[in-house]
Amino acid sequence: EAKQAGGGVCRAWDAGSASAQEDRYRISSDLRRTLERKSDAQLWVAYQPIVDLMTGQTVGVEALARWDHPARGAVPPELFIAAAEASGVIHALGRRVLQQASQQVARWNESRVQEGHSPLWVSVNCSPKQLQGPSIVEDVQAALLESGLAPERLILEITESALLVGPSLVAERLAALRNCGVVIALDDFGTGYSALSHLRHLPIQIVKIDRSFVAGLGSISADEAVVAAVTGLASRLGQTVLAEGVETRVQESRARQLGCTFGQGNLYAEPQPAADLDRVLVR
Ligand code: C2E
Ligand code: MG
Ligand code: MG
Ligand code: MG
């Protein structure tokens, strides 16, 4: 079994012979078949807590897709998300994650409110193809309706690469999504094609600073300068900043001092199955 051989990590899709393109094709056809089976055993959602850096309280969770391939073990998300994007399977996969995550967090919130805790939000990643596709607004509305999750408790994480392909279509979609009442976050900010005009022109409420900058907090002054510049700009634009990939107390306290409101990272918790968070989130 690949799981034993690779310690849970995916084995190369095809040992040497197949091209990257053939690999992608196989990944996406396997993924399509798995989605059709509708079972959660292979394809499931992990949750990573998001904390308020002032209070230390968990205020939300990010939903992250996981795929345990029966023969190959855990497939890295970067790999199967890219294949799903290229083949169009991303729409069905995205729908599944939206539905499951909304339902899970609505369930946690029911118990939390009973126990006197404030409800959590859930962040769901939305790839460029999904955002440009025709069904994203309907998919979001359906997930909200079926789960009963309040729209302002759902955050859609988009990346700047979505803006490269069809900026006007994306602006239209974001406006429609904002009309549904959901919140928009800009993920991995600072990597790729960061343009300050994106922050100014798009209806974005949360900026997630990429972990490559957070890594240098407390040690690399250039990274601190980037984080300070982003929080300074974001706060003047009325946006809130989240530091991704917080791994140490030093990074945490520098992120807080430099103006980040929220933190997410292995310092608090790694992404994990919902059942493992029940006790932590609903006390
Ligand atoms: P992302 O949205 O930026 O998610 C954060 C990634 O950082 C996750 O990787 C998470 O496990 C990792 N991470 C969190 N804290 C730490 C830390 O302290 N240190 C380090 N080194 N890493 C940390 P993951 O789960 O492998 O996901 C990778 C990417 O795959 C995500 O990046 C997202 O772009 C994409 N992805 C995952 N699930 C979905 C999904 O359902 N839909 C779409 N469209 N994309 C997804
Ligand atoms: Mg994300
Ligand atoms: Mg990110
Ligand atoms: Mg990322």
Side-chain angles (χ1 to χ4, degrees):
E1 282 292 62
K3 252 190 180 157
Q4 286 162 330
V9 175
C10 182
R11 195 188 271 171
W13 211 255
D14 191 331
S17 64
S19 69
Q21 207 178 347
E22 278 175 85
D23 277 355
R24 273 196 175 181
Y25 177 77
R26 272 179 225 180
I27 294 170
S28 56
S29 60
D30 278 12
L31 189 56
R32 177 171 285 134
R33 245 175 288 127
T34 305
L35 275 161
E36 280 163 3
R37 273 201 298 276
K38 294 249 186 292
S39 132
D40 317 336
Q42 281 188 48
L43 204 58
W44 52 282
V45 180
Y47 298 89
Q48 185 175 40
I50 293 169
V51 306
D52 181 323
L53 291 175
M54 282 303 185
T55 64
Q57 298 285 311
T58 298
V59 290
V61 290
E62 179 170 3
L64 293 157
R66 293 290 180 264
W67 183 21
D68 297 328
H69 191 284
R72 299 171 193 280
V75 186
E78 317 274 11
L79 192 63
F80 71 81
I81 296 291
E85 274 253 298
S87 64
V89 181
I90 194 69
H91 301 290
L93 175 63
R95 241 183 326 265
R96 170 83 74 92
V97 174
L98 261 174
Q99 275 172 351
Q100 281 196 8
S102 305
Q103 263 160 24
Q104 179 59 60
V105 174
R107 220 174 297 142
W108 274 328
N109 284 346
E110 226 173 276
S111 315
R112 283 176 65 89
V113 168
Q114 263 171 22
E115 304 288 320
H117 301 299
S118 52
L120 303 172
W121 84 64
V122 59
S123 281
V124 177
N125 292 283
C126 179
S127 75
K129 280 272 168 59
Q130 277 177 276
L131 195 58
Q132 287 152 18
S135 66
I136 185 66
V137 178
E138 276 170 56
D139 293 346
V140 164
Q141 284 172 329
L144 292 172
L145 200 68
E146 283 166 28
S147 64
L149 187 75
E152 67 273 16
R153 298 268 152 221
L154 177 61
I155 300 183
L156 291 182
E157 298 193 357
I158 64 159
T159 56
E160 292 170 288
S161 51
L163 305 164
L164 289 182
V165 197
S168 63
L169 178 61
V170 167
E172 198 180 294
R173 288 280 190 282
L174 291 180
L177 289 165
R178 281 296 292 146
N179 263 329
C180 300
V182 302
V183 174
I184 309 294
L186 195 54
D187 203 356
D188 304 339
F189 190 73
T191 60
Y193 318 93
S194 301
L196 298 180
S197 66
H198 295 157
L199 292 184
R200 177 160 135 65
H201 292 296
L202 294 169
I204 286 158
Q205 288 78 54
I206 296 177
V207 180
K208 297 188 75 169
I209 299 187
D210 191 72
R211 69 176 144 90
S212 54
F213 301 103
V214 174
L217 292 181
S219 56
I220 300 171
S221 66
D223 286 345
E224 299 209 337
V226 170
V227 173
V230 174
T231 56
L233 178 64
S235 76
R236 296 195 64 174
L237 294 173
Q239 294 153 347
T240 304
V241 176
L242 182 155
E244 291 196 280
V246 177
E247 293 181 346
T248 68
R249 288 292 168 203
V250 171
Q251 291 164 356
E252 173 187 60
S253 61
R254 284 307 284 154
R256 189 196 306 116
Q257 286 160 1
L258 292 170
C260 298
T261 303
F262 302 118
Q264 175 182 354
N266 295 346
L267 175 64
Y268 310 107
E270 287 180 25
Q272 52 201 291
D276 294 358
L277 282 168
D278 278 341
R279 264 180 314 129
V280 186
L281 296 181
V282 186
R283 254 164 316 182

